[in-house]
Every structure is written in structure tokens, then in C-alpha cells.
Amino acid sequence: MKLYCLSGHPTLPCNVLKFKSTTIMLDCGLDTTSVLNFLPLPLVHSPRLSKLPGWISKDGTINLEKELKDCAGRVFVDSQPEFCLPERELLDLSTIDVILISNYHCMMALPYITEHTGFTGTVYATEPTLQIGRLLMEEVVNFMERVPKAQSATCWKNKEIQRMLPGPLKDAVDVWTWKRCYSMQEVNSALSKVQLVGYSQKVELFGAVQVSPLSSGYSLGSSNWIIQSHHEKVSYVSGSSLLTTHPQPMDQSSLKNSDVLILTGLTQMPTANPDGMLGEFCSNLAMTIRAGGNVLVPCYSSGVIYDLLECLYQFIESASLGTTPFYFISPVANSSLEFSQIFAEWLCHNKQTKVYLPEPPFPHAELIQTNKLKHYPSIHGDFSSEFRQPCVVFTGHPSLRFGDVVHFMELWGKSSLNTIIFTEPDFSYLDALAPYQPLAMKCVYCPIDTRLNFHQVSKLLKEVQPLHVVCPEQYTQPPLTQSHRSDLMLELQPPPMPYRRCSVLNLPFRRRYERVYILPELANSLVPSEIKPGVSVATVSAVVHSKDNKHTLQSVPKPPPVAPSKKRKRVMDEPPVVLAPKPLLSGAVPLEAFLATLQKHGITEVKVEETADGHILHLQAEDTLIQLEEDGTHIVCDNNEPLRTTLRDLVLRFLQKL
């Protein structure tokens, strides 16, 4: 069993498991942190960005004025933002049989895998994962396509040149593999390969293994996966949460008795409590609005935004913000808000019960009805005529490199009355803000990450007790900024097996058993004989028939009757002779009783020597050795066939024939 790691980002994983003649990809996350190296894509012409000076090395030997721009002391690439893809050279991706998706954030690289590698397999995901994943992909494609860049920067990616660049460009990983965003056509083609599954549904892969998704409690439709054969079990735990939020709670009991547990997607903010962050989010928002400023929340169009709107719903009245407009701007805003209301069976119990009342499970439906929350596909059109300040705007993208958020940064950045509140933990907020410096608007960092923290995961692993744990290298040591915090890492016995991008692990477990079926007519012909009370054994002669990884014992075919022929037959044409199997022997030869029997037959001079496995009997007068061992008996007798036969018959007296 082998595990190939194709992504170095622990919360955006992409691993490949080779198990029992199947090749299974576990998630295909897209590392979007690479976009922080690029300049933002403004929706309207930005004089500030267009006047930025180009970058030339200090000694003047490297001139990349057209590709790199100097902005507030940092160097950025002036080109369409590009993404860091999962590693594609480590193994042949066309050999992948299936891709298992754990949540909609971990499928953003799917079009790169399914459309450009010769992939012919199937992708398995739950319905909310597919539908919301489609929305997130559609949103990114829309953001990129509506602000096309004429030029594409490639010279800076040259290894020799990259070495000379200032950080963080100098340290960027595998830049020559970075790719521009896919098209909507590629998204549709990739998603057409997805087959929908429900929690605990068992899916057979070529008869070799069975895969099954379990609720992971992190987002709508998010799953952990069980991959098992008849005798082995592998659990894949990615992006899970034990907090009581809107998704169905995590299924922990099904993870028990795993031989290997692959663990990834833990919280990126182990020191930030999500409840505390929500409280801070609300109080900062209220303070800004009361002072007459606007609040900008860069966020994804699904996930934490549902919890933020629910929290604000309860908070608005008590903080007397009833007249403040809330705007949600995204090409997929409408679909996202509606999808969250119709996936009732994927929600937690108390949200499910509302559906039968009937009431909308999420309170944002009421915010929309009372006109407190308005949603728009973009800032053009209706929004620009209905927009009034002070207000709260939820929009993407959290990286601040593309989407409507870029416009609001340019619009509101110069006033200290306004506040930007970061809630998504995927990007460093300082790096996200870098191309907008100097910035007057206030900045608040309230990362809300509901995924498992180290304390929760240690408790979970104690309960489910897997034999081996495999996890990203980052989880086996404390964070660089807090090297004294040994509580921010996984401490297990035995220690977990770490992996990093491009590593290949041989997982430490051998397959020892295989299930074989026996046909009824063959089973009928077996004659069991009791070898000790309660234990019966029967010998079987059969042909093993293997198809689709299922093995069946069938009766040995009888040779067809040969018609008499006058022609002389060649030896080759004769049917093979099937000999009757020799009986199997069981039992042990007791030393004292055997010596007494030898004496009765006139063999008296016997020297007994004890060995590690049994005894050696030396018959001195006959110059013969008898080795009595646990798993066999050997008679060494030179040129005395009658004696050898006699001794063999004496040994057989003590053994049982099957």
C-alpha cells in the first residue's frame, strides 16, 4: 500500500492511495495562496495600479519592467493571477481509477486533473459538495474572465531569474507549473464525471475495495471516507468539525478499527476560538457602523457566510442596526443562498425540523424578505442605483486579488472610518493587504475556522484507536512562530507518519488474508472429519476462478471421454491425469509411546537428543536417524528400504489421516 502526496498545503490536500490494485485520489485541492504574488485585477481602470514603477534589479542586469511592479516596498507580478496545481509528475494521473471529494473547498483543482491528464475514471461526491463546488468554480471563472489581462508574465518564472528576485517571489514553489484559471467549459466537463453518493452509501470499486462517505460536520455535504476490503480498513479524515454549526454532526464511531487513518485538513487557526471570533466580528462591525463607516467582509460565497448572517440576524436588533443595509455581492449569491435552504437532509437536526414546520432552516431568508439583506451578481446595474452608506458588504475574493472586493478596497481604503474584517483563514491578511498600502481603513482579523484543533483530534484518535496515523509534516511539529507550543502538534504513540509535497510513503501494513467463495456443489462433496472436539477439517481439491477481484473455488473439471480412434494418438492430445490427492496427516508423535513401540519391534539401542524444534532419535544398530519436529518427521536411512517402510508405518500409527 502506497500513498503519494501531490499537494504541500495541509488544508487543500491532494493525495493518491494505491490499495489492492486500485488507484484512488483523495481530494484535489487547489493552492490559491499563489495569487498573493500578483497585482489585484480592478473592475474599473485604476490610475494608482497603472502608474506603479516596473522592477529592475539593483545592478540593472535583470529588467522585468513589463512583468513585475514595485508596490509599497513589495514586488508583484502584473499578470492574470495563477494557481499552484497539485504535483503532476510524481505518477501517471491517467491511471487514477476514482477521485473521492471530501468537501467543496477541496475540489477546486478538479478540471486540471480530469481534463488535462487523460483521466477516464469516476469522481464521487455528495450533492451539496457538487452543487456548491460548481458555484465556487463558476464564481472564480467569472471573476477572472470579466477582467482579462492582455499580457502574460513568463520570464520571471525562469529558475535563474527567480533566484535573483526579492522575497516572497524568490521562495515561491514550482512556479513553472502554476496555471491560469480554467474555463467554464472545462468546469462543466469535469463536473459531468461526478457521481453522487449519500452518507454511509457503499460503492464497490472493481470488486476489490468498497468506499463509503461519512458526515464530517464541517460544511454542507462534507465527508470523511472509509476505504475497505474484506480484511483491511483505511479511513480518510479531512476537514472535520465537532462544533455545533449548520451541517450534520460528525460520524465518529464508523472510523473505529482502522488499520491506517490518513488525517488532514485540521484548523489553520488552532489558537482562535470560533465563538470568540464571531463575538469580535459583531462588536467591530457595530462600532464601525455607529461611527458612520462602512464594513467590508471579504469571503467565499458559501460556508462561513451562512453562520455570519445567522449571527448578525440575532445581533442586529440588540445592537440597534435595524436600518443598516447588508449587501452580498457575488455572481452566484442568489444560488448560494437558495441552495443552503433546500439541502435540508444535509443539515443538523434542529435545522431539519424547521423544514417540516415549514420554515426556512436559515434566518437569512427572513433578512431577505424584510429587505435587510440584499444580494446582487456584481456592483454594476441594480446595486449601483440602490447602494446607500453606511453599509456592510460581503463579497469575494478573500485574497483581495480579484472579484468585486478589489473595487471596494480602492473605494473605501482611504478613509479611517471604514473597516475591513477578515473571517477566512486561508490567506495571511497582511499579504492580502500588501498591494493596497498605505491604507487608512481599519483592519480587523477574526479568522473563523471550525475544523478540528489538536486537542479535539487527539481525543478523537484515542477513541477510534487506528493502528497507524499518517498526516502532513506540518502537524508533527509546533508552528514556526510558536515553537514552544508543543500542544499545537500531534503527539501520538506510535508517532504519526509524516508526508510532504512529492513524498511517497510505503504504508506499514501487509495484506494477509483474502476472501474466497466456494460453490454449493463443491461444498456438498466435502467430508469433514473431527481432529479435536469442536474442530473439524475437510480437504478440498478445486480450481480457483478469479474475476473482478472475486475468487471462487470450483470443482475440478472431469476429462472428457475419449472416442476410440484407429489413429495412433500423440502424447500431447491425451487429457492430463488428475491424481487422487494424498491424505493429509495431523497430530503429534509422542516420544515415550514411540520409543515403546520401537522396542516392541526389536529396536532397542536408541539415543535421544533434544533440539530447538523437537527430538532426534539415533538408532545406533541400524545406523538410522529419525527427526521428530512440530511440523514434520524425517527418516534418514541408507539403503535399507524394508526398515524405512517399517519405521514410516510406525510413525503413521500415531497420526490422523484426513
Side-chain angles (χ1 to χ4, degrees), residues 62 64 155-165:
I62 303 172
L64 291 174
C155 297
W156 75 275
K157 293 184 180 184
N158 180 309
K159 273 186 188 173
E160 295 306 310
I161 292 177
Q162 193 199 351
R163 274 208 334 239
M164 318 290 284
L165 300 179

Side-chain angles (χ1 to χ4, degrees), residues 27-28 99-108 110 123-138 187 191 194-199 213-225 238-239 247 302 306 339 343 345-346:
D27 282 330
C28 43
I99 301 177
L100 306 180
I101 304 290
S102 53
N103 62 67
Y104 45 74
H105 289 296
C106 293
M107 67 185 291
M108 299 299 281
L110 196 62
V123 184
Y124 289 101
T126 62
E127 191 178 2
T129 298
L130 168 68
Q131 299 301 358
I132 296 172
R134 182 192 296 279
L135 295 183
L136 294 178
M137 289 181 186
E138 198 178 309
V187 169
L191 296 181
V194 175
Q195 200 161 314
L196 297 180
V197 285
Y199 289 151
L214 312 170
S215 172
S216 78
Y218 167 58
S219 61
L220 281 178
S222 65
S223 322
N224 292 323
W225 288 86
S238 164
S302 179
Y306 305 145
F339 269 134
F343 286 134
E345 73 271 32
W346 306 91

Side-chain angles (χ1 to χ4, degrees), residues 9 32-33 36 74 268-269 398-401 422 424-435 443 445 447:
H9 198 305
T32 46
T33 52
L36 296 173
R74 289 267 293 261
Q268 299 182 73
M269 291 292 139
S399 65
L400 309 190
R401 292 301 178 271
F422 289 90
E424 299 292 351
D426 290 359
F427 301 93
S428 149
Y429 74 102
L430 293 172
D431 289 342
L433 291 170
C443 163
Y445 190 47

Side-chain angles (χ1 to χ4, degrees), residues 385-398:
S385 57
E386 295 173 16
F387 169 61
R388 61 189 177 82
Q389 306 185 66
C391 62
V392 179
V393 171
F394 296 90
T395 188
H397 185 265

Side-chain angles (χ1 to χ4, degrees), residues 262-371:
I262 302 165
L263 175 71
T264 181
L266 299 185
T267 177
Q268 299 182 73
M269 291 292 139
T271 52
N273 169 7
D275 285 337
M277 290 292 126
L278 267 176
E280 216 168 295
F281 170 80
C282 290
S283 61
N284 277 292
L285 183 139
M287 255 165 34
T288 303
I289 297 294
R290 285 191 195 116
N294 301 295
V295 176
L296 178 62
V297 185
C299 62
Y300 295 112
S301 53
S302 179
V304 170
I305 187 168
Y306 305 145
D307 299 314
L308 293 177
L309 292 172
E310 186 158 356
C311 182
L312 286 171
Y313 172 77
Q314 294 156 359
F315 179 76
I316 284 170
E317 295 310 320
S318 62
S320 55
L321 297 175
T323 56
T324 307
F326 290 78
Y327 300 118
F328 177 21
I329 304 168
S330 162
V332 298
N334 186 36
S335 309
S336 171
L337 293 171
E338 285 181 353
F339 269 134
S340 66
Q341 303 286 18
I342 61 170
F343 286 134
E345 73 271 32
W346 306 91
L347 295 170
C348 61
H349 179 69
N350 66 16
K351 285 208 178 332
Q352 276 188 27
T353 50
K354 284 187 175 183
V355 179
Y356 302 111
L357 286 177
E359 259 180 39
F362 285 96
H364 55 240
E366 196 180 318
L367 289 173
I368 293 168
Q369 279 167 359
T370 55
N371 259 350

Side-chain angles (χ1 to χ4, degrees), residues 369-541:
Q369 279 167 359
T370 55
N371 259 350
K372 285 177 181 154
L373 173 66
K374 294 184 176 183
H375 53 86
Y376 301 92
S378 75
I379 57 172
H380 305 299
D382 292 346
F383 172 73
S384 50
S385 57
E386 295 173 16
F387 169 61
R388 61 189 177 82
Q389 306 185 66
C391 62
V392 179
V393 171
F394 296 90
T395 188
H397 185 265
S399 65
L400 309 190
R401 292 301 178 271
F402 44 87
D404 300 281
V405 74
V406 176
H407 185 72
F408 287 102
M409 288 300 297
E410 298 281 343
L411 188 69
W412 291 343
K414 297 174 189 66
S415 167
S416 58
L417 287 176
N418 302 323
T419 303
I420 177 169
I421 306 181
F422 289 90
T423 56
E424 299 292 351
D426 290 359
F427 301 93
S428 149
Y429 74 102
L430 293 172
D431 289 342
L433 291 170
Y436 299 98
Q437 300 294 0
L439 199 66
M441 80 191 295
K442 289 195 284 296
C443 163
V444 178
Y445 190 47
C446 299
I448 296 169
D449 195 337
T450 58
R451 287 174 279 212
L452 294 172
N453 60 33
F454 290 101
H455 171 68
Q456 290 167 330
V457 88
S458 299
K459 197 168 162 225
L460 173 75
L461 292 173
K462 273 195 191 105
E463 283 169 23
V464 301
Q465 293 190 321
L467 290 181
H468 304 282
V469 174
V470 182
C471 69
E473 193 176 49
Q474 291 93 321
Y475 297 163
T476 58
Q477 54 210 28
L480 291 172
T481 50
Q482 296 167 294
S483 52
H484 61 289
R485 295 284 301 268
S486 61
D487 56 327
L488 300 183
M489 60 182 276
L490 273 185
E491 290 190 286
L492 303 173
Q493 266 342 87
M497 294 182 66
Y499 63 76
R500 59 154 83 94
R501 186 179 171 104
C502 291
S503 59
V504 181
L505 295 189
N506 278 314
L507 298 186
F509 104 135
R510 299 244 168 275
R511 284 175 38 222
R512 303 202 337 254
Y513 300 108
E514 193 62 82
R515 184 173 287 189
V516 180
Y517 298 90
I518 188 164
L519 287 185
E521 56 268 26
L522 182 60
N524 249 346
S525 67
L526 301 183
V527 184
S529 51
E530 194 169 39
I531 53 168
K532 62 182 180 186
V535 178
S536 294
V537 173
T539 59
V540 58
S541 295

